[in-house]
Amino acid sequence: MDRLNTVIGRLSGWLVLLMVLVGGFNVIGRYLGNALGQNLSSNALIETQWYLFSLVFLLGAAYTLKENAHVRMDVLYSTWPPRRKALADFVATLVFLLPFSGFALWFTWTPVLNSWRIREGSPDPGGLPRYPIKSFILVMFILLIAQGISGAIQSWAIYRGISPPTTAESDSTLTQEATGEDNDNA
């Protein structure tokens, strides 16, 4: 799962570049088109930019989780030893991430299915179909659940001492050892 989410996360990084290029073309096309009296942009191009932004977010969420880069309050967490961090990550995944993602997957399934059923399109003239992009909501939560399970297994292995802490946690452990702080407060 880690490898799959790494590949998908890197792909979503390239989508950022594509999104910027499409956005730049939209801006240049609008101003150049006004000067030439032509419409060089379209609703489809504007929605393409929006869809690319959505894909970056939806596909990048599980990769961000894998890289432990989600925003959180690190006031206490950053000072904890690796075993305590692993236990906190394990409990948070089981109590918050997995139930939330499961409920979100359950509740978005029907609206996405209905969108496909009616082949939902853009309300704007010349816009893109909406049903394919809505499917990525389900993909995001499936990837988050799978990455959450992978992360929980890794956290449990670190907590139990079966697996060594990640590099960042090892660095903080080395710093604590150098300063004489206790590492086993978990």
Side-chain angles (χ1 to χ4, degrees):
M1 205 59 246
D2 290 352
R3 275 186 254 143
L4 175 65
N5 278 323
T6 297
V7 169
I8 292 172
R10 289 188 179 146
L11 170 67
S12 69
W14 284 103
L15 291 177
V16 171
L17 176 62
L18 185 57
M19 178 184 63
V20 168
L21 291 174
V22 170
F25 179 81
N26 282 332
V27 170
I28 292 168
R30 184 172 56 240
Y31 287 110
L32 186 60
N34 285 341
L36 298 174
Q38 293 284 331
N39 185 7
L40 300 179
S41 189
S42 68
N43 284 336
L45 281 172
I46 292 167
E47 289 185 10
T48 298
Q49 183 180 353
W50 176 74
Y51 283 18
L52 289 168
F53 175 78
S54 299
L55 287 173
V56 168
F57 174 79
L58 295 170
L59 294 176
Y63 175 70
T64 305
L65 177 64
K66 178 201 164 293
E67 294 296 318
N68 201 18
H70 282 281
V71 175
R72 69 167 157 222
M73 294 296 293
D74 281 343
V75 175
L76 296 175
Y77 185 89
S78 64
T79 63
W80 290 349
R83 287 189 63 226
R84 185 179 290 167
K85 286 180 182 180
L87 182 60
D89 290 341
F90 178 77
V91 171
T93 298
L94 293 183
V95 174
F96 297 111
L97 176 69
L98 294 179
F100 171 78
S101 296
F103 283 126
L105 187 61
W106 175 263
F107 286 112
T108 57
W109 185 260
T110 301
V112 170
L113 214 54
N114 288 339
S115 183
W116 273 89
R117 203 172 286 134
I118 65 169
R119 295 191 150 316
E120 182 181 6
S122 172
D124 299 320
L128 300 174
R130 294 270 165 99
Y131 58 95
I133 196 71
K134 285 188 173 184
S135 302
F136 283 93
I137 297 169
L138 300 175
V139 171
M140 177 188 72
F141 286 114
I142 290 168
L143 290 173
L144 272 174
I145 288 169
Q147 188 60 50
I149 291 168
S150 173
I153 292 168
Q154 292 170 14
S155 293
W156 186 250
I158 291 169
Y159 176 71
R160 298 291 298 158
I162 298 168
S163 175
T166 60
T167 305
E169 290 168 342
S170 295
D171 291 345
S172 68
T173 303
L174 292 174
T175 303
Q176 289 172 347
E177 287 173 355
T179 60
E181 294 177 28
D182 185 14
N183 287 331
D184 218 7
N185 294 343

